[in-house]
Amino acid sequence: MRRILIANPKGGSGKSTLATHLASWAAWQGWRTMLGDVDRQQSTRHWLQARPEQFPPVHGWEAQLDGPMRPPKGTEWAILDSPAGLHGKKWAAVLDAVDSVIVPVQASPMDMWASEPFLQALAEAKVVRKGKIRVAVVGMRVNPRTQSARQLASFLQRFDLPCVTHIRDAQLYVQTIARGLTLFDLPTLRYAKEREQWQPLLDWLQAPA
Ligand SMILES: Nc1ncnc2c1ncn2[C@@H]1O[C@H](COP(=O)(O)OP(=O)(O)O)[C@@H](O)[C@H]1O
Ligand SMILES: [Mg+2]
């Protein structure tokens, strides 16, 4: 079972967008997929409710921090979206329950500053240093051939965390979510260019730990 946490204490960084996309992609692979929310924030609840029946199912899962954070039996992919203010003991409990962490970061100075303490703490966490969990950063709403992308790359060097891909700013991400869908539910050929941006992240997730 893969257990993936999407985290960044900065609100609006793209966590729920990433979480729903990975969930629908995994569902299309035919894997039993759970999309959970840490601490009953339920930020992906509306998306789950809006998801049309004819698309591969993504199951909701209430991950509670006061009990064992184990996804239901038979789960193949468990994706955890996380709320803004997660820290301390709760944060440690969540880290213990996953094998990969993905951090979306936007390339603006404000976003990078706001993410800095979190990235620092994550890079220094014992489970990360010991290789028990893998961490990847995704440049969110970043065009790869811009100065912003370069600034994000040099910012990330400090933490020795890989930036596996950039996802461009596009209206489709806003519009599909409202319909309970993601890019991965749209026609493959027509959206091949957008899908290409996700491929390095999907490859990273599937690489042997
Ligand atoms: N690549 C993108 N292009 C355009 N809009 C995006 C993109 N990623 C996220 N958004 C939008 O940015 C806002 C914040 O994203 P969201 O995933 O809700 O962040 P978080 O869960 O970290 O608060 C949402 O309105 C979302 O639709
Ligand atoms: Mg969210």
Side-chain angles (χ1 to χ4, degrees):
M1 192 211 310
R2 298 304 314 270
R3 297 171 304 171
I4 302 155
L5 174 72
I6 318 292
N8 185 339
K10 174 88 173 64
S13 55
K15 292 181 290 296
S16 299
T17 303
L18 259 179
T20 47
H21 274 75
L22 293 179
S24 75
W25 179 79
W28 273 104
Q29 309 310 302
W31 300 330
R32 188 167 166 80
T33 305
M34 293 285 157
L35 177 57
D37 238 317
V38 176
D39 220 12
R40 305 189 188 98
Q41 291 281 311
Q42 304 202 328
S43 47
T44 48
R45 187 180 40 145
H46 293 291
W47 182 82
L48 284 165
Q49 281 171 350
R51 190 162 177 79
E53 258 174 32
Q54 66 268 34
F55 286 86
V58 174
H59 307 278
W61 156 49
E62 257 194 52
Q64 293 173 14
L65 287 171
D66 40 15
M69 286 199 24
R70 227 169 280 132
K73 264 208 179 116
T75 300
E76 287 167 285
W77 265 48
I79 296 153
L80 266 181
D81 193 5
S82 64
L86 193 62
H87 55 256
K89 269 195 185 153
K90 286 187 174 181
W91 170 243
V94 176
L95 267 195
D96 259 351
V98 300
D99 52 60
S100 318
V101 179
I102 303 171
V103 185
V105 182
Q106 297 194 33
S108 80
M110 295 294 186
D111 281 84
M112 290 191 272
W113 291 331
S115 305
E116 189 168 6
F118 170 72
L119 287 169
Q120 190 71 49
L122 188 58
E124 286 169 4
K126 221 184 207 171
V127 279
V128 175
R129 282 189 287 115
K130 289 194 165 172
K132 280 191 183 153
I133 61 176
R134 303 189 306 150
V135 180
V137 176
V138 169
M140 203 57 169
R141 308 177 81 159
V142 182
N143 192 326
R145 277 175 294 278
T146 56
Q147 192 176 351
S148 294
R150 288 191 290 277
Q151 283 163 348
L152 179 61
S154 76
F155 167 73
L156 290 173
Q157 273 175 358
R158 274 184 239 170
F159 316 104
D160 202 19
L161 296 174
C163 181
V164 292
T165 194
H166 299 97
I167 307 296
R168 269 196 300 261
D169 193 300
Q171 270 299 297
L172 88 90
Y173 293 112
V174 185
Q175 300 310 324
T176 49
I177 295 294
R179 294 160 51 209
L181 303 174
T182 73
L183 165 65
F184 297 111
D185 299 305
L186 304 180
T188 309
L189 285 178
R190 192 161 150 211
Y191 291 93
K193 277 235 165 334
E194 269 73 28
R195 278 177 174 251
E196 249 172 51
Q197 301 170 16
W198 289 82
Q199 199 56 51
L201 175 63
L202 302 174
D203 292 343
W204 182 87
L205 280 167
Q206 291 176 96

